[in-house]
Amino acid sequence: MNLPPDKMKLLNQYDNEKKWELICDQERFQVKNPPSAYIQKLKSYLDTGGVSRKVRAPLCTPRPHPGSGAGTVPMALPVPQFKRRVQESTQVLRELEISLRTNYIGWVQEFLNEENKGLDVLLEYLAFAQCSVAYDMESAENGSPGSDKGKGLERSLEDLSKSSSSSPTQGSSKVRHLTVRLNPSHSRKTLRNSRLVSQKDDVHVCIMCLRAIMNYQSGFSLVMNHPACVNEITLSLNNKNARTKALVLELLAAVCLVRGGHDIILAAFDNFKEVCGEKNRFEKLMEYFRNEDTNIDFMVACMQFINIVVHSVENMNFRVFLQYEFTHLGLDQYLESLRLTESDKLQVQIQAYLDNVFDVGAMLEDSETKTAVLEHMEELQEHVSQLTEKLQDAENDSMAKIAELEKQLSQARRELEALREQLSPPRPPSPPAPQPQECYRLALERRLAELEEKGLVQILRGPDGDVAIEIIPVVIETPAAPVVTGEATATSTTTGTDAPAPVPAPSPPPGPVPPPPPPPPLGGELPAGPGAPPTAGSSVKVKKPIQTKFRMPVFNWVALKPSQIDGTVFTELNDEKVLQELDMSDFEEQFKTKAQGPGLDITALKTKATQKAPSKVTLMESNRAKNLAITLRKGGRSIQDICTAIETYDQQALSLDFLELLLRFLPTEYERTLIGKFEREQQPPEELSDEDQFMIRFSKIPRLAERMNVMIFLGNFNDTAQLLMPQLNAIIAASMSLKSSSKLRNILEIVLAFGNYMNSSKRGAAYGFRLQSLDALLEMKSTDRKQTLLHYLVRVITEKYPELTGFHTELHFLDKAGTVSLDSVLQDVRSLQQGMELTRKEFMRQDDSPVLKDFLKVNLEVMEKLQADSKTAKEAYESAVEYFGENPKTSPPTTFFPMFMRFIRAYKKAEQDIELWKKQEAAAKEAESGSPGSEDQPEVKLPIQKARRQQMDMIAELKKKQMVKEPLIYEGKDGAIEDIISDLRNNPYRRADKGRGSAKKRAAGQSLQAMPDISL
């Protein structure tokens, strides 16, 4: 059935009954005649029409001379009998078209094979049907119309033959030969019969047959390779039937879009020009376009063909040339007159052509505009770079001022504390506080009394004051074992000596194993863990475990022991006060456990120090000499100039890079020995190479190594100092602002309160936490998994403590400080100090050097400030790190400050999320309530959603404009011609680069847009 793959797949899904019905329908509509039957009938029509075999055979060869007698006069039937044959031929052609279109592909291949040569026969009949049209046209041009009965046909044919024989194209050999339209052997009856045929639909049906053949890949290749087939189709435009012309133009437009088809179409119109005697190519086409203004289908097909034949080429110059051909024939003026046409189809095709118009003037204007824009963009980039430099300088200045203010603030606070201590009145002596050990004993006794009242233990007192505790076994119906606290396991007071063995404590809860506690200072005291009460000597208040209504998930923070919070920020925090101020029932409801496992532990960030591979130094004298020669060539100066510049510390003569390279070639002891031996032997220096001569002169410079190091130090000092100063200021400002921020302390206090509320009943109360625990706020999810613990904290802070919302504004330059390697900066400062000392010593030895004198005078104060700032930065950073319970040795700035930066970013993101959720909830409530205000203003939408939608629309529009499409090229395959024709009917041909259109069509005030080929 010759079905495409998609239809074949669909057919395979049918059952056998449905398939049999389709086969029966196919058999019923198929024409049963073999190809040879149609071919024989067409040949018989040609014979009876007056076209002999000898005339029909050389369809594509030059015409013979009228007197040569090469053609034989065919036998023609009388007019009434031939009219009946014409009606029969039309029916035969219709049946042939149906067979070519519906029969299986083998039938079509048999029709086109070498034996039948059905394509040649079909073209012969098409040429016969059109020969009278061409004859009448040429006769009209010569002043002897074909309908003139007074002038003999033989004379006209002889004149045409002479004019044709004198044509300059007669003897030219071309790849695609020109089709011979008229022969002297055509008799009057032949032309008459041709007129009868042309008045019927035979030409139209012949084109339909060729279209059906071209719809197959093999048939399309045969038509494209045939020397006259496309020419005959093009010459069919001379037919008087507008419907036939439209069919021809649709077919030619489709051929244009097939690879290689555009050249064939242009060659066919070149042939059309010579056969029809046109002065300019496409002249007849434009004439038909103007005259057939009543047939909209033809005008649409004509406009579509012109659009494709002009704008489907890739070469810009050729495209402009084709466009000018039609402009020269008056297409632009005619399209202007069709501007108000009522046909939508024609208007679409005209607009497509205008969109594709390639306006060279507009391109030149756009190019000039682009050049001006690029120049302006370069100016803007230069201006931006200048502003960036100014901004960097201003930021460094502000950083230095803030660091100085922070130092002054810190000094003022210390002085204020000192004045308060001096001016405060002496306090009355307070009663002696009970010792921590005594407090612990009293608490233990109270606990034992409670257990004795509950009947869990029995206290046995001996006559000598000893106390023994006996645990009374209790039968519990539930399988869960009772929780026995550490106090209940105590065996005796400190005065007891013969107490029974202590009861073993219950196993600790699952989790990371804590480090072993230090040994107790006194016998009988319990070891101090993270949740145990403080030991003797500690002034921290004992925190009681918090019993929650629901089982809460474990907050995986790194808790600090009471002994670890001395001197830190956590000694100033009171989380129990926060819990008294807040209603935690809502928190429990939202974060109670619901079959969720514990979160992952947050591991400490580790930094990998980059290690430089040790540079390998070669000791081979030959390689050393080669490397020195290369270095001297880079310097570009003579040996004497180089050594003189080193002796006078001339920074302008020698570049810093050259000095650093030259430092590698300081003379070794072995080389100095060889130089001394050479001078003692008084050998001529001319025998030495340039490198050896340089080494002799180089080694005679006094204190060579010191001079070289001083010169390199002088060249590097300013750049290094300018690089180190902002880093030190960033460390100072960030460290002092962190330590002095009261809002940050309150935030940490709230975090500590919530963490203890969740963990104290399981792990005991915590007195502080590591800063890395702030990351765990994002990992703790609520029961419905819709929010994190940080979102809840932000909501609580916004509602209960609104003054803390902008806490991050009190923190300065955390991002800058987080990129500073403080150890490297301090090492660089020490290196500068060593270089400054070396320079000072060198100046003491050679005090007549103006270079060293000026350098020391200008930069000594800079060095002193660097030293003072480095000391301040180190002290401020260590103080801040210790203040937050961290270790300065294990927490560099690249780890310490980013923890706060991550927390600030997450806090801001949580604020944005909460604000968005509130707006969404308000919108949902408004939509549900259906208030009149919403009906009156249906266009009002959330600003964030509206902005996001506009942004997405803009991105889609930019993608659409910047999408570079490949040229519309179709490959020859079965069904390609029909697909192209169908596509062109639905969508007119438009190029992807249609933005190069005329500037006249550009709207007033519209600015130049950046297209893919004109990108800024």
Side-chain angles (χ1 to χ4, degrees):
M1 296 179 70
N2 189 30
L3 295 175
D6 54 342
K7 299 295 178 57
M8 190 181 303
K9 184 178 180 181
L10 182 63
L11 182 61
N12 287 332
Q13 299 175 359
Y14 294 159
D15 55 6
N16 292 334
E17 184 178 355
K18 181 66 175 178
K19 291 178 182 178
W20 178 248
E21 291 179 1
L22 293 175
I23 292 174
C24 293
D25 292 340
Q26 181 81 2
E27 294 290 331
R28 186 160 52 251
F29 286 105
Q30 279 183 343
V31 181
K32 299 298 182 181
N33 294 329
S36 58
Y38 296 104
I39 294 174
Q40 291 299 327
K41 287 183 180 180
L42 290 178
K43 288 179 180 180
S44 66
Y45 299 149
L46 289 171
D47 292 336
T48 57
V51 182
S52 66
R53 298 298 299 165
K54 291 186 178 180
V55 173
R56 286 186 287 109
L59 255 180
C60 305
T61 57
R63 297 190 294 257
H65 193 271
S68 63
T72 60
V73 178
M75 178 182 66
L77 294 177
V79 175
Q81 186 177 357
F82 188 74
K83 284 185 178 181
R84 291 192 297 271
R85 297 299 301 273
V86 167
Q87 295 177 354
E88 182 183 349
S89 67
T90 304
Q91 182 62 29
V92 169
L93 286 172
R94 292 187 187 280
E95 294 179 0
L96 175 61
E97 191 270 336
I98 295 174
S99 299
L100 290 171
R101 182 163 42 84
T102 60
N103 278 355
Y104 60 96
I105 192 170
W107 194 96
V108 180
Q109 291 174 348
E110 183 182 354
F111 178 82
L112 299 174
N113 61 17
E114 290 293 330
E115 181 181 355
N116 291 321
K117 294 184 178 181
L119 181 61
D120 292 339
V121 175
L122 193 60
L123 290 176
E124 287 175 10
Y125 189 83
L126 179 61
F128 162 67
Q130 297 181 148
C131 67
S132 64
V133 178
Y135 170 72
D136 292 342
M137 290 172 53
E138 197 161 353
S139 299
E141 292 175 359
N142 293 335
S144 56
S147 60
D148 187 3
K149 302 294 181 67
K151 187 173 183 179
L153 175 64
E154 298 299 331
R155 182 178 177 182
S156 301
L157 292 175
E158 185 177 354
D159 293 341
L160 291 173
S161 175
K162 289 180 180 178
S163 65
S164 300
S165 62
S166 62
S167 173
T169 62
Q170 179 194 1
S172 62
S173 60
K174 297 183 178 181
V175 177
R176 303 187 67 83
H177 302 284
L178 300 179
T179 307
V180 178
R181 301 306 306 154
L182 295 175
N183 260 298
S185 56
H186 287 163
S187 65
R188 186 186 299 274
K189 291 183 179 180
T190 303
L191 295 176
R192 180 195 62 200
N193 294 336
S194 176
R195 290 192 185 97
L196 292 175
V197 173
S198 64
Q199 293 172 1
K200 300 293 181 179
D201 287 340
D202 286 15
V203 175
H204 187 87
V205 181
C206 282
I207 300 298
M208 293 289 292
C209 292
L210 291 173
R211 174 173 165 176
I213 292 173
M214 293 172 68
N215 206 36
Y216 297 99
Q217 184 176 357
S218 57
F220 182 82
S221 301
L222 192 62
V223 169
M224 290 292 101
N225 295 324
H226 198 281
C229 185
V230 181
N231 292 347
E232 292 293 341
I233 296 174
T234 307
L235 288 167
S236 301
L237 288 172
N238 290 326
N239 195 274
K240 296 179 180 180
N241 190 348
R243 188 167 58 93
T244 303
K245 294 178 185 178
L247 177 65
V248 171
L249 289 175
E250 284 184 353
L251 189 58
L252 295 180
V255 173
C256 269
L257 294 179
V258 180
R259 193 179 302 277
H262 192 273
D263 296 335
I264 297 175
I265 296 300
L266 291 183
F269 273 91
D270 289 336
N271 171 67
F272 187 95
K273 173 185 173 184
E274 297 197 18
V275 170
C276 298
E278 292 179 324
K279 294 182 180 180
N280 300 297
R281 188 169 57 178
F282 305 115
E283 189 176 322
K284 288 288 183 183
L285 179 64
M286 281 300 303
E287 180 183 343
Y288 297 149
F289 190 31
R290 289 193 187 94
N291 297 336
E292 298 286 347
D293 55 353
T294 58
N295 194 306
I296 296 299
D297 292 338
F298 167 73
M299 296 184 72
V300 170
C302 188
M303 194 66 245
Q304 173 182 278
F305 172 76
I306 294 174
N307 182 26
I308 292 176
V309 78
V310 171
H311 297 300
S312 63
V313 293
E314 289 302 312
N315 189 299
M316 293 184 182
N317 296 327
F318 191 31
R319 181 175 162 192
V320 173
F321 168 73
L322 293 173
Q323 185 176 294
Y324 179 74
E325 279 193 84
F326 284 95
T327 302
H328 181 67
L329 294 174
L331 177 63
D332 294 348
Q333 292 82 356
Y334 187 59
L335 292 183
E336 185 66 23
S337 65
L338 293 176
R339 185 167 50 88
L340 301 177
T341 180
E342 296 180 357
S343 174
D344 293 338
K345 293 183 180 180
L346 181 58
Q347 191 65 40
V348 167
Q349 294 295 337
I350 293 175
Q351 189 60 44
Y353 175 81
L354 295 177
D355 291 341
N356 294 332
V357 164
F358 197 102
D359 195 332
V360 179
M363 284 294 296
L364 181 60
E365 178 186 346
D366 292 347
S367 176
E368 293 174 354
T369 307
K370 176 185 176 182
T371 303
V373 169
L374 289 177
E375 293 176 356
H376 183 58
M377 185 179 68
E378 291 178 358
E379 295 177 359
L380 291 178
Q381 288 178 345
E382 183 178 358
H383 186 57
V384 167
S385 62
Q386 294 176 359
L387 291 178
T388 304
E389 293 178 359
K390 292 181 180 179
L391 179 63
Q392 186 64 37
D393 295 340
E395 188 178 54
N396 292 337
D397 293 341
S398 65
M399 199 181 305
K401 292 179 182 179
I402 291 177
E404 187 64 29
L405 291 175
E406 289 286 351
K407 289 188 286 185
Q408 295 177 7
L409 180 61
S410 177
Q411 181 65 25
R413 284 176 177 169
R414 287 196 294 268
E415 293 176 359
L416 179 61
E417 290 296 330
L419 289 175
R420 283 179 179 175
E421 292 179 359
Q422 293 177 4
L423 299 178
S424 60
R427 298 179 181 178
S430 57
Q435 295 295 327
Q437 184 177 357
E438 184 67 20
C439 293
Y440 183 60
R441 187 182 63 80
L442 295 176
L444 184 59
E445 291 180 356
R446 286 196 300 269
R447 183 61 176 163
L448 288 175
E450 292 176 2
L451 294 176
E452 187 178 10
E453 291 177 0
K454 295 179 180 179
L456 298 177
V457 297
Q458 182 178 2
I459 302 176
L460 304 177
R461 292 178 173 82
D464 54 354
D466 294 339
V467 177
I469 299 175
E470 179 182 354
I471 298 177
I472 301 174
V474 179
V475 179
I476 305 297
E477 296 181 358
T478 58
V483 178
V484 182
T485 60
E487 292 87 343
T489 60
T491 58
S492 64
T493 62
T494 56
T495 59
T497 56
D498 300 330
V503 179
S507 59
V513 179
L522 296 174
E525 288 192 0
L526 297 179
T535 57
S538 174
S539 61
V540 181
K541 180 182 177 182
V542 179
K543 296 184 179 181
K544 299 180 180 179
I546 302 172
Q547 299 297 332
T548 59
K549 180 179 178 182
F550 299 100
R551 182 186 176 190
M552 303 298 292
V554 177
F555 182 51
N556 289 297
W557 61 3
V558 182
L560 297 179
K561 301 177 183 179
S563 59
Q564 295 176 317
I565 66 172
D566 188 21
T568 67
V569 66
F570 299 106
T571 58
E572 306 173 10
L573 306 184
N574 187 1
D575 56 307
E576 295 178 348
K577 178 177 68 68
V578 174
L579 294 179
Q580 293 174 0
E581 297 173 353
L582 298 176
D583 181 14
M584 305 301 290
S585 59
D586 178 65
F587 173 69
E588 286 191 35
E589 189 67 31
Q590 295 195 33
F591 283 86
K592 61 185 178 182
T593 57
K594 186 180 179 182
Q596 63 179 16
L600 297 176
D601 290 336
I602 303 299
T603 58
L605 298 177
K606 299 180 180 179
T607 57
K608 297 181 179 179
T610 56
Q611 298 179 355
K612 296 183 179 179
S615 59
K616 297 180 179 180
V617 180
T618 176
L619 300 178
M620 296 180 62
E621 297 296 328
S622 58
N623 288 341
R624 182 173 168 85
K626 291 178 182 178
N627 293 334
L628 179 58
I630 295 172
T631 303
L632 293 177
R633 283 197 298 270
K634 289 182 179 179
R637 290 184 176 273
S638 64
I639 297 175
Q640 184 62 33
D641 291 343
I642 294 174
C643 295
T644 303
I646 295 174
E647 290 171 349
T648 58
Y649 303 100
D650 189 356
Q651 297 285 326
Q652 304 297 327
L654 303 179
S655 65
L656 187 61
D657 295 336
F658 178 72
L659 287 173
E660 291 177 350
L661 291 175
L662 199 59
L663 187 62
R664 304 176 184 176
F665 299 100
L666 293 176
T668 61
E669 291 297 330
Y670 179 71
E671 290 170 345
R672 289 182 181 275
T673 303
L674 294 179
I675 291 173
K677 180 179 179 182
F678 178 81
E679 291 178 344
R680 286 193 300 272
E681 294 176 357
Q682 298 182 353
Q683 298 181 11
E686 291 79 10
E687 296 180 359
L688 299 176
S689 63
D690 294 340
E691 294 78 24
D692 293 334
Q693 294 180 20
F694 173 79
M695 190 59 69
I696 292 176
R697 178 68 179 86
F698 196 44
S699 62
K700 292 181 180 180
I701 300 176
R703 301 184 307 279
L704 177 60
E706 290 80 358
R707 288 178 180 270
M708 292 289 294
N709 288 322
V710 167
M711 288 191 70
I712 294 175
F713 172 74
L714 297 182
N716 283 328
F717 180 81
N718 290 330
D719 294 339
T720 306
Q722 292 178 3
L723 182 64
L724 295 178
M725 194 71 72
Q727 299 184 51
L728 291 173
N729 291 333
I731 292 291
I732 294 172
S735 301
M736 292 187 172
S737 64
L738 277 176
K739 188 175 180 181
S740 61
S741 175
S742 59
K743 294 182 179 179
L744 179 61
R745 284 198 298 271
N746 295 332
I747 294 288
L748 297 179
E749 187 177 52
I750 295 173
V751 174
L752 179 64
F754 274 81
N756 274 329
Y757 189 83
M758 300 174 73
N759 286 4
S760 63
S761 62
K762 300 175 183 177
R763 296 186 176 181
Y767 295 85
F769 56 86
R770 296 291 183 193
L771 292 178
Q772 64 186 10
S773 304
L774 295 174
D775 294 332
L777 296 173
L778 288 173
E779 298 180 2
M780 177 64 65
K781 299 283 187 178
S782 60
T783 307
D784 56 3
R785 315 294 293 176
K786 292 183 179 180
Q787 63 175 332
T788 64
L789 180 55
L790 181 60
H791 286 94
Y792 192 88
L793 290 177
V794 171
R795 200 187 299 270
V796 169
I797 292 171
T798 305
E799 296 174 357
K800 302 292 184 179
Y801 309 99
E803 69 278 1
L804 303 181
T805 53
F807 74 96
H808 47 81
T809 58
E810 295 183 350
L811 311 179
H812 306 300
F813 303 110
L814 296 183
D815 52 343
K816 302 288 185 183
T819 60
V820 176
S821 175
L822 185 57
D823 293 338
S824 301
V825 171
L826 296 178
Q827 180 62 36
D828 291 340
V829 173
R830 286 192 291 270
S831 299
L832 289 181
Q833 179 62 25
Q834 293 173 2
M836 188 65 72
E837 290 296 330
L838 180 62
T839 305
R840 187 184 289 110
K841 292 179 181 179
E842 193 67 23
F843 177 69
M844 296 298 293
R845 294 176 180 176
Q846 189 178 354
D847 55 359
D848 58 344
S849 174
V851 177
L852 298 181
K853 182 178 180 180
D854 294 341
F855 176 81
L856 292 173
K857 182 179 179 181
V858 173
N859 295 306
L860 273 177
E861 294 181 0
V862 178
M863 189 66 237
E864 292 175 356
K865 189 174 187 310
L866 271 176
Q867 283 184 300
D869 287 348
S870 64
K871 182 179 179 182
T872 304
K874 182 180 179 182
E875 293 175 354
Y877 176 72
E878 292 179 351
S879 175
V881 172
E882 293 174 350
Y883 183 68
F884 287 98
E886 303 291 334
N887 187 355
K889 296 181 180 179
T890 58
S891 297
T894 53
T895 302
F896 179 71
F897 294 113
M899 288 189 289
F900 290 101
M901 292 167 56
R902 289 195 302 271
F903 177 67
I904 293 173
R905 283 196 298 266
Y907 190 93
K908 292 180 179 179
K909 178 65 169 54
E911 286 182 328
Q912 296 174 1
D913 294 342
I914 292 173
E915 188 67 23
L916 180 60
W917 294 342
K918 288 181 179 179
K919 292 181 178 180
Q920 291 176 351
E921 291 175 1
K925 290 181 180 179
E926 185 178 355
E928 291 177 359
S929 61
S931 59
S934 61
E935 296 177 0
D936 297 338
Q937 299 176 351
E939 300 294 331
V940 178
K941 298 180 180 179
L942 293 180
I944 296 180
Q945 295 176 349
K946 186 176 181 180
R948 185 172 299 174
R949 187 176 296 106
Q950 291 177 353
Q951 183 181 7
M952 297 302 295
D953 293 343
M954 184 179 297
I955 292 174
E957 184 68 20
L958 289 175
K959 286 183 179 179
K960 183 179 179 181
K961 287 184 177 181
Q962 295 179 356
M963 188 179 299
V964 180
K965 297 182 180 178
E966 293 293 330
L968 186 59
I969 296 297
Y970 292 86
E971 300 291 344
K973 61 180 181 179
D974 291 347
I977 292 296
E978 291 297 332
D979 292 342
I980 298 173
I981 294 175
S982 299
D983 291 343
L984 291 177
R985 284 176 180 172
N986 298 328
N987 300 305
Y989 179 80
R990 282 188 171 90
R991 292 186 61 90
D993 52 0
K994 62 183 180 180
R996 300 187 187 129
S998 173
K1000 300 175 183 178
K1001 300 191 298 294
R1002 197 174 295 157
Q1006 182 179 356
S1007 60
L1008 175 66
Q1009 295 181 354
M1011 299 304 293
D1013 52 332
I1014 312 179
S1015 59
L1016 301 182

